[in-house]
Amino acid sequence: MTSAPQATAESKHALRPAPASSQRAQPAAASSRKYRRETSAQARAGWGMLAPAGILMLLFLVVPIVLTFILAFTDARLISPRPMQFIGLENFERLFGTEVFWASLRNTLIFALVIVPGQSGLALIMALLVNKKFPGLNFFRTVFFLPMVTSMVVVSMLWLFMYQPDGLLNALLAKIGISGPDWLGDPSWALFAIIVMSAWQAAGMHMIIWLSGLQTIPGELYEAAALDGASSWQQFKHVTWPGLRQTRTFILITITIAAFSLFTQINIMTKGGPLDSTSTVVYQAVRTGYDQQQTGYAAAISLVFFVLVLAVNLVQRYLTRDKEARA
C-alpha cells in the first residue's frame, strides 16, 4: 500500500512541466508533417496538370517515332491480311535505288536553298519598311501579315487558279506583250512557281519576328551612328545586322525546317508533277504510306528525312555557334 508522502511525490512528478527541448520538438515535427503534406499535394497537382500534355506528346510524338524506327525495317502494309515481317535494310536499298527519291531529294534541297535566303530577305525588307513611323503603318503591317493567317490550302487554291494558262498572271503578262508559260504544267517552271507562292505566304510571319528583333535594338546606337556621319547602309551594317544575331539564327532554323517539310502546296497544286519535278521527300512518304499503303517503305522514307533534317540542323547550330564564338 502506497503511503501519503509517496503519493504526493508521484503526483508532483506527474504535474511537472516537460523539458523545453521536447516542447520545441513537438511544433517542429508538426510543421514538418504539414510541409510534407503540402508538398505532396502540390506535386500531385503539378503531375495532374502535366498529364494531359504529357499523354498527348507520348501518343502523337514518342510513339510515332518509335513505330517509325520499327516499321522501317519491315514490309508492313496499311491494310493487309499478311502479318508484317522483318526484312532488314531492303526498304532502304529499294529507296536509294529509285529515281523518284533522288528527284524528291533534289527538289527538297533546291526549295530549301532558295526559300531560306529569299523568304528571310523579303521578310527583313518588309520589317525594315514597317519599323518606321508613318501614316497608315498599322494598315501596311496588317496587309503584309494577312497571307500568313490564311490557310495554306486556301492560298494554294487561289494561286492554282492564278497559275492556270489562262489565269490572272498570264493575263497580266499578256497586257505587256509577254506570253506566259504553263506555270504548273511545265517542269522547268513548276518548282519556281511553288517557291514564289510559298515565300509570299510565309514572309509575313518572319516579318513579325524580324520586327521584334529590330525593336530590341536601342535607339541610342542609331543616334550615335548618325552623329558620327554613318549612312543608312553603314547603320544597317554596323548596328542593325549585329543586333539581329539571335533573331536571324532563330529565323534560319525555323525556315529551314519548314522548307524541308514542304507538302501542302505540292499536294494541292501539282501532286508531285509534272514528271516528279515538284515531288518532295515528305510528299513521297505520305503518298507511299497512304495512297500506296506501303507503311514500312514510307517509314523508311520518313527515317531518312529525319536523319537529313537532323544533320542540317546540327550543321546550322555548329556554324552559328562558331560565328558567335568568333564575335
Side-chain angles (χ1 to χ4, degrees):
M1 184 175 180
T2 305
S3 62
Q6 291 177 344
T8 303
E10 291 177 357
S11 62
K12 289 181 178 181
H13 179 74
L15 297 175
R16 185 180 302 170
S21 59
S22 61
Q23 290 179 354
R24 290 193 299 267
Q26 291 177 358
S31 177
S32 177
R33 289 193 297 270
K34 181 180 179 181
Y35 174 78
R36 287 196 297 268
R37 287 195 299 268
E38 292 178 352
T39 303
S40 177
Q42 292 177 358
R44 289 195 298 269
W47 283 109
M49 289 185 287
L50 181 64
I55 293 173
L56 290 176
M57 290 186 64
L58 180 65
L59 292 178
F60 296 101
L61 182 63
V62 178
V63 172
I65 291 176
V66 174
L67 287 177
T68 299
F69 277 87
I70 296 174
L71 296 175
F73 301 95
T74 68
D75 61 349
R77 298 184 62 87
L78 189 62
I79 300 176
S80 175
R82 183 173 56 86
M84 67 178 183
Q85 296 179 351
F86 178 79
I87 58 175
L89 300 176
E90 290 186 16
N91 285 329
F92 298 95
E93 294 175 356
R94 173 187 171 191
L95 177 65
F96 295 138
T98 59
E99 295 182 0
V100 176
F101 169 74
W102 294 110
S104 301
L105 181 60
R106 182 186 66 249
N107 296 332
T108 303
L109 293 176
I110 292 174
F111 182 85
L113 290 174
V114 175
I115 204 71
V116 171
Q119 181 176 306
S120 58
L122 175 62
L124 178 58
I125 294 173
M126 294 163 58
L128 291 172
L129 291 175
V130 299
N131 193 38
K132 304 181 182 297
K133 294 182 178 180
F134 57 88
L137 174 62
N138 292 331
F139 170 77
F140 285 101
R141 288 182 177 180
T142 303
V143 169
F144 289 160
F145 188 73
L146 187 61
M148 186 61 203
V149 299
T150 308
S151 170
M152 178 57 79
V153 175
V154 176
V155 172
S156 300
M157 293 295 295
L158 291 175
W159 280 76
L160 177 62
F161 292 118
M162 292 174 57
Y163 277 144
Q164 294 298 317
D166 56 348
L168 176 62
L169 187 56
N170 283 349
L172 294 176
L173 292 176
K175 295 291 185 180
I176 57 177
I178 298 177
S179 178
D182 185 359
W183 297 98
L184 299 178
D186 188 343
S188 302
W189 288 97
L191 186 60
F192 172 77
I194 298 294
I195 290 173
V196 172
M197 188 272 293
S198 301
W200 174 85
Q201 191 271 342
M205 178 63 185
H206 296 97
M207 177 201 71
I208 297 298
I209 301 175
W210 281 122
L211 185 61
S212 65
L214 288 171
Q215 294 180 351
T216 61
I217 301 176
E220 293 81 3
L221 297 179
Y222 293 102
E223 295 175 1
L227 291 175
D228 290 338
S231 63
S232 299
W233 168 249
Q234 290 173 331
Q235 291 182 23
F236 175 81
K237 181 179 179 181
H238 298 288
V239 179
T240 304
W241 190 244
L244 294 173
R245 183 177 59 188
Q246 295 182 351
T247 304
R248 67 174 179 260
T249 300
F250 174 77
I251 288 179
L252 175 67
I253 294 175
T254 54
I255 294 181
T256 302
I257 294 175
F260 275 98
S261 59
L262 174 66
F263 171 75
T264 304
Q265 302 93 305
I266 305 299
N267 189 46
I268 297 295
M269 302 176 71
T270 63
K271 300 294 183 183
L275 301 177
D276 296 321
S277 61
T278 60
S279 179
T280 62
V281 177
V282 175
Y283 179 78
Q284 183 188 6
V286 174
R287 181 177 62 180
T288 303
Y290 289 96
D291 294 346
Q292 302 175 6
Q293 299 186 1
Q294 301 179 28
T295 310
Y297 188 41
I301 300 174
S302 301
L303 188 57
V304 171
F305 174 74
F306 169 77
V307 174
L308 175 64
V309 174
L310 179 62
V312 172
N313 190 19
L314 291 177
V315 170
Q316 287 182 335
R317 289 174 62 89
Y318 173 76
L319 295 177
T320 304
R321 181 181 58 184
D322 187 48
K323 291 180 181 179
E324 292 178 354
R326 289 198 303 266

